[in-house]
Amino acid sequence: MRIFDPHVHMTSRTTADYRAMYEAGVRALVEPAFWMGQPRTGVSSFRDYFDGLVGWERFRASRFGIAHHCAIALNPKEANDPRLTGVLDLLPRYLAKDGVVAVGEVGFDSRTSEEEKVFRHQLELAREFELPVLVHTPHRDKVEGTRHTLRLVEESGIPPERVLVDHLNETTVAMVHASGCAMGFSIYPDTKMDPERMVRILSEWGTDRILVDSAADWGHSDPLTTLHTGRAMLAAGFSEEDVDRVLWRNPVDFYARSGRLFPEGGATAGSTFEGNSIRRGERSEGDDR
């Protein structure tokens, strides 16, 4: 089983997680910029964080045979802090970099006017840089928040196939399906979706345009929930091809719209990552010893 995790916050994970993910079949991932667990107090904190995403974290993943890509944005939660408005001026510098395959995560947390202003601005940046968009839907009042999100996406003029609306559940999948956007589902141990619920959604809606991610942030989460979902699909009667579509081909198809997937030549969209990236991962284990 080959896995491309389209939304996972590896900054919050250990090298043991990288090793376990590789052993589970993860060969590529996208790490979106997000909240760090406590408020950041200045623009320089974001500059350091973005540098880590495009530099150190990419290198760290490569040592375990995993191609690391990222999405860059001012996240919705911190969009409300007036001390951080200058982050928007930083974004063009980073959106032009190799390995940045989307603008994200953007969207709503509490659906304030400031969040909407920042969301609209970053949708315009996505148009300017011709990048896909990864959208965070709010955990509170998710239905109306998702409707609001889809209205702004439509107004932006960005083609829906270039927008991934994430953190969906049974109450929001229909409206996002109808919009033409890609549909993202975060699988968590206790909250959001679990593998069995995900299988029921796939049974009803099919496998087209559906992406499954672990998110795996600072809270109680598991970077192997993509694997657990694939196993649940097989147990429910889905074919190996169905699993490959959801866990590999759909994320590849979506992020390939950036034109920046697998830029170092160690992997291609159709490969299983046999080659340089895996050999780097093998050497890293020797380095650890």
Side-chain angles (χ1 to χ4, degrees):
M1 187 183 302
R2 57 181 182 170
I3 299 171
F4 186 140
D5 194 325
H7 179 162
V8 54
H9 298 294
M10 294 308 298
T11 298
S12 66
R13 312 308 298 194
T14 67
T15 53
D17 290 318
Y18 269 123
R19 182 175 285 108
M21 291 167 69
Y22 178 82
E23 291 173 354
V26 177
R27 296 295 181 270
L29 60 84
V30 170
E31 177 167 2
F34 80 134
W35 186 55
M36 295 295 288
Q38 67 180 34
R40 281 172 280 209
T41 58
V43 174
S44 61
S45 296
F46 276 86
R47 184 183 295 109
D48 294 339
Y49 173 54
F50 293 158
D51 283 343
L53 288 181
V54 300
W56 168 247
E57 203 60 45
R58 188 178 182 187
F59 170 74
R60 192 164 75 112
S62 74
R63 291 169 66 81
F64 291 88
I66 297 174
H68 181 284
H69 312 83
C70 67
I72 295 291
L74 173 58
N75 68 83
K77 191 176 185 71
E78 290 178 291
N80 295 293
D81 191 334
R83 296 173 297 180
L84 303 179
T85 55
V87 174
L88 297 176
D89 298 326
L90 284 182
L91 296 180
R93 168 186 169 186
Y94 289 94
L95 294 177
K97 289 183 178 292
D98 289 341
V100 178
V101 296
V103 176
E105 40 188 314
V106 299
F108 289 116
D109 179 59
S110 301
R111 294 180 57 222
T112 65
S113 60
E114 285 304 313
E115 288 175 22
E116 179 170 333
K117 179 181 177 181
V118 170
F119 188 9
R120 288 181 182 274
H121 181 90
Q122 294 184 105
L123 288 172
E124 284 303 311
L125 286 175
R127 284 173 54 89
E128 177 183 347
F129 284 85
E130 299 182 337
L131 286 172
V133 184
L134 173 59
V135 179
H136 170 97
T137 52
H139 303 306
R140 299 177 297 277
D141 198 8
K142 185 174 287 290
V143 171
E144 186 50 42
T146 303
R147 287 198 187 101
H148 193 174
T149 293
L150 294 175
R151 287 196 296 270
L152 296 187
V153 167
E154 183 176 10
E155 290 172 12
S156 76
I158 297 174
E161 63 270 16
R162 297 180 68 86
V163 179
L164 171 56
V165 184
D166 207 354
H167 303 317
L168 300 182
N169 59 24
E170 295 89 344
T171 68
T172 52
V173 59
M175 70 176 83
V176 180
H177 185 276
S179 76
C181 295
M183 296 161 280
F185 295 84
S186 298
I187 314 300
Y188 269 57
D190 298 324
T191 60
K192 299 183 176 70
M193 298 292 297
D194 61 34
E196 288 69 32
R197 289 168 62 194
M198 191 66 239
V199 165
R200 290 194 291 272
I201 286 177
L202 287 163
S203 296
E204 180 176 359
W205 294 97
T207 60
D208 290 345
R209 288 190 285 131
I210 287 182
L211 289 74
V212 170
D213 62 77
S214 68
D217 55 22
W218 298 98
H220 186 198
S221 54
D222 180 355
L224 303 185
T225 54
T226 49
L227 172 66
H228 304 331
T229 302
R231 287 174 173 170
M233 289 177 67
L234 293 173
F238 283 91
S239 68
E240 292 183 2
E241 182 178 355
D242 292 331
V243 173
D244 192 63
R245 174 177 292 279
V246 172
L247 296 185
W248 181 265
R249 285 182 287 160
N250 286 351
V252 165
D253 288 347
F254 178 76
Y255 286 114
R257 292 179 169 89
S258 70
R260 300 176 184 174
L261 279 188
F262 316 133
E264 295 180 349
T268 62
S271 80
T272 55
F273 285 80
E274 297 299 335
N276 293 335
S277 63
I278 286 180
R279 288 198 294 272
R280 286 197 297 271
E282 290 171 347
R283 286 202 301 272
S284 73
E285 294 181 8
D287 292 344
D288 289 343
R289 291 193 293 270

